[in-house]
Amino acid sequence: MSYRQGRPRRVRSLFVSDVHLGSRFAHAEAFLRFLESQEPESLYIVGDFIDGWRLRQRWHWQPIYNRILHRLWELGEAGTLIRYAPGNHDNFLRHFLLDFGFLEIQDEFIHQAVDGRRFVVLHGDQFDNVELCAQWLSVVGAWGYDSLMWFNGQVNACRKWLGLAPWQFSSTVKKSVKTVVNFVSNFEARLAEHARSTGCHGVICGHVHMPLCVNREGIAYFNTGDWVENCTALAEYTDGSWELMHLPLTDDEVCQVERQPLSDPAPAAPAEPSQDVAVENEQPSAALLV
């Protein structure tokens, strides 16, 4: 079903990351229509929602961004609790770790699922060795990726003229680069260990732009993906089920929602959570499908 049609879909919790407002490659129109199709009880913005790196280089704030912010305000007015965990591209917001009532900004949150299992929610750049030890390399890489995206767009314009299918060269290259980053920093394993140390059954993050749901030694690892290439989001429903939603784009950015139900990894029982992390949705019940 196209999410331009019908009533907004009720979900218990919705997780999105890496929208990169300010980047000319962000699919802002698609993201707005997606937000308009959802009515979550809780919305987690898992970092890099605003691309401060690009905005510092060149101010690129479009009217559509204001419409997205207005939609967030509408959701807040309707009762949605919005929780924002900043990332490396919107790191400036880490100076404003505040609770505004309908909007709360923290470095990380503890999300309690329907069945009582806990998930630590954070962007993930804190566990990327490139970001920690050589952020200049990450900045150079971001510039190179933008150039690659531009080149990919030019190639696809030619392929369209020739009647050929689009070629996602930039996505392939970035996945290769991010695989190297994962190897160097042991990104997923470190996040899983952090979840275990905070007494959680799983982690929900972004940062590497790779939508993924796997088991890491008894810890559920969820990556929400991004809105530059993948257009993905993670949803939790009131019956305890989870879905990874993928919104493939057509030429005019009309998206058809593809939902991937997630299976149960049966994680090991954790220790007690730490006390310095915000906790929400403390309800028991049903089986979590991860």
Side-chain angles (χ1 to χ4, degrees):
M1 180 186 72
S2 171
Y3 63 83
R4 280 180 172 177
Q5 303 170 351
R7 295 173 58 85
R9 192 177 191 202
R10 294 288 296 173
V11 297
R12 182 176 186 263
S13 307
L14 190 65
F15 303 82
V16 297
S17 73
D18 297 274
V19 181
H20 286 278
L21 298 183
S23 168
R24 58 179 172 163
F25 303 110
H27 291 293
E29 292 277 358
F31 182 69
L32 174 60
R33 291 196 296 271
F34 174 69
L35 280 184
E36 291 173 344
S37 75
Q38 306 294 321
E39 286 186 353
E41 295 175 17
S42 297
L43 170 63
Y44 287 86
I45 300 174
V46 193
D48 286 2
F49 180 71
I50 298 172
D51 198 325
W53 292 8
R54 270 71 172 191
L55 291 175
R56 282 197 300 267
Q57 295 168 0
R58 175 176 174 268
W59 188 255
H60 189 71
W61 193 265
Q62 301 182 15
I64 184 66
Y65 301 166
N66 293 329
R67 290 165 58 194
I68 289 172
L69 296 179
H70 181 71
R71 175 55 182 165
L72 293 177
W73 178 83
E74 287 180 339
L75 288 172
E77 284 289 292
T80 297
L81 178 61
I82 303 175
R83 298 197 144 171
Y84 193 138
N88 51 319
H89 284 255
D90 48 15
N91 185 57
F92 61 93
L93 288 174
R94 286 177 170 147
H95 300 292
F96 303 96
L97 303 183
L98 298 169
D99 184 350
F100 297 98
F102 79 96
L103 171 65
E104 186 177 359
I105 303 175
Q106 294 291 340
D107 241 356
E108 62 183 56
F109 297 95
I110 300 295
H111 172 76
Q112 189 150 342
V114 170
D115 68 346
R117 298 185 191 183
R118 297 183 297 273
F119 291 79
V120 60
V121 183
L122 75 170
H123 183 63
D125 59 302
Q126 308 94 319
F127 296 87
D128 181 344
N129 280 342
V130 174
E131 286 292 330
L132 295 175
C133 303
Q135 192 181 64
W136 64 271
L137 186 60
S138 185
V139 173
V140 170
W143 176 84
Y145 179 57
D146 277 0
S147 300
L148 190 62
M149 289 284 289
W150 177 85
F151 174 72
N152 199 166
Q154 302 305 304
V155 170
N156 281 337
C158 293
R159 290 177 66 86
K160 182 179 179 181
W161 183 75
L162 294 171
L164 300 175
W167 180 37
Q168 292 302 324
F169 176 68
S170 60
S171 177
T172 301
V173 171
K174 180 157 189 182
K175 285 179 180 178
S176 298
V177 171
K178 286 300 184 180
T179 299
V180 173
V181 170
N182 277 348
F183 178 78
V184 171
S185 65
N186 206 10
F187 181 75
E188 294 173 9
R190 293 179 68 189
L191 278 168
E193 181 55 37
H194 177 64
R196 185 176 287 108
S197 71
T198 56
C200 291
H201 301 83
V203 59
I204 300 171
C205 65
H207 186 53
V208 294
H209 293 204
M210 287 186 183
L212 185 64
C213 303
V214 294
N215 185 308
R216 289 286 180 249
E217 299 182 354
I219 296 293
Y221 170 88
F222 288 165
N223 195 294
T224 61
D226 69 283
W227 286 83
V228 177
E229 290 185 82
N230 293 296
C231 294
T232 50
L234 179 68
E236 178 201 14
Y237 298 101
T238 54
D239 64 357
S241 64
W242 292 71
E243 286 182 328
L244 184 62
M245 295 187 287
H246 176 222
L247 295 85
L249 298 172
T250 64
D251 289 340
D252 61 354
E253 284 197 329
V254 178
C255 298
Q256 302 289 329
V257 179
E258 293 180 358
R259 297 184 173 87
Q260 175 189 341
L262 306 176
S263 57
D264 190 350
E272 289 300 314
S274 58
Q275 300 300 312
D276 58 348
V277 181
V279 181
E280 85 120 358
N281 293 337
E282 306 212 89
Q283 297 131 277
S285 234
L288 174 63
L289 297 179
V290 180

